[in-house]
Amino acid sequence: MVSQNKNPKAIKSVFKKYLKEKATSTEHEAVNSWYEGLGKDSNESFNLNNQPEEIDNLGRSIKEHLIRHTKSNRKLVSLSIYIKYAAIFLLIVSAALTIRNKFYTDKLPNQERTFKSTDHAAKEITLTDGSIILLNVGSELIVAKNFGSHERNVSLKGEAFFKIAKNKLKPFIIKTGALRTTVVGTSFNINAYADLNRIKISVASGKVRVSKKTLTGEEILATSMTRDASLSFEKSTGKTLLKIERCELISSWKDSKLYIDNATLSEIAKQLERYYHLKVVFNPKIDKGKRYTIRFNQEPANRIMEILSMLTKTKFTYQTKQITII
């Protein structure tokens, strides 16, 4: 945030970064709040009852406003204009951000919210209850509109590592296809990508309960999974496997490590696409159903391809824009 300790050049720099869409999220929020207060007295109340989509449109408005005061009058505009705007900004930004934060805190729990990671980067989310979720690439978390009223309900597509804030009165429930994972306060990993036949839940700490939705109600698959317990559910057959294995390995994607977990060649191809953000050229006919498990500690891509080739007796090659498996 721009503070009173920053000089006019620093404030001007923030404005320029905003126009070039290079501002940090904090700077972006601060400039938006400053714009809302332009032309108002410092003791005037702020109208922040906009819908979230209307607030997002402020970006375009402030760009037009600043461009009119910079580019079109470049020769006439002096640093004093920025100082004038900065004075208004410094008077209102603290109060505006406080009110806006309250607005979002009050309004969002009554709306369904969707968080998405990109195909190239993970995304960390902190929910209103203090729970922290790290979404792996290509993943989506939907937070129910009644989150926190009696239960804390979310839906996951993809993979995520959860650190759930403890609340015995309000269980945290994650929906992944037909499965329901219920916790009070714990940490665990869920892999539930749509293009994989398997949903896997692995516990790092605490206790986890897993159930399956059925036509007549609910079937309990695991009542009390504890540290390093894992549950694998085959979507096509409904088969469930409970075992003990290190959650640290299964969730090692958080540390940018590659762990191939009892995967077929088809599943390895999909995992490599997500890990390297590259197209994988692969003929499914060479997949004979054999499964492989191996871990890597950030070795170079060509070395990983070499090891996978030896392990699977199949040729893996890494190029600039694609991986080929033949």
Side-chain angles (χ1 to χ4, degrees), residues 197-266:
N197 184 48
R198 180 183 64 179
I199 297 174
K200 187 161 186 173
I201 300 162
S202 309
V203 181
S205 65
K207 293 183 179 181
V208 169
R209 174 180 178 269
V210 181
S211 62
K212 180 178 71 171
K213 186 178 180 181
T214 66
L215 294 175
T216 57
E218 183 182 52
E219 177 188 349
I220 304 299
L221 302 181
T223 56
S224 184
M225 292 171 57
T226 55
R227 182 176 178 178
D228 287 339
S230 72
L231 181 147
S232 296
F233 174 79
E234 300 293 332
K235 290 186 279 188
S236 60
T237 64
K239 182 180 178 181
T240 300
L241 176 64
L242 278 165
K243 61 189 295 188
I244 300 297
E245 53 187 331
R246 291 171 61 191
C247 182
E248 179 185 0
L249 287 178
I250 295 169
S251 61
S252 59
W253 59 267
K254 300 190 286 77
D255 302 313
S256 299
K257 295 180 180 180
L258 177 63
Y259 178 60
I260 294 173
D261 176 23
N262 194 35
T264 64
L265 281 175
S266 296

Side-chain angles (χ1 to χ4, degrees), residues 18 41 53 66 88 126 150 194 203 313:
Y18 189 105
D41 295 328
E53 58 267 27
L66 290 177
I88 302 172
T126 301
H150 299 289
V203 181
K313 305 295 190 296

Side-chain angles (χ1 to χ4, degrees), residues 13 22 26 62 83 89 102 116 121 134 152 176 212 232 241 253 268-270 272 289-290 305 318 321:
S13 174
K22 294 182 178 180
T26 302
I62 196 168
I83 296 174
F89 170 79
K102 184 177 188 303
K116 294 182 179 181
L134 181 63
R152 296 174 286 170
T176 46
K212 180 178 71 171
S232 296
L241 176 64
W253 59 267
I268 291 173
K270 293 169 184 174
L272 292 177
K290 189 174 181 179
M305 298 303 116
Y318 176 87
K321 294 185 179 181

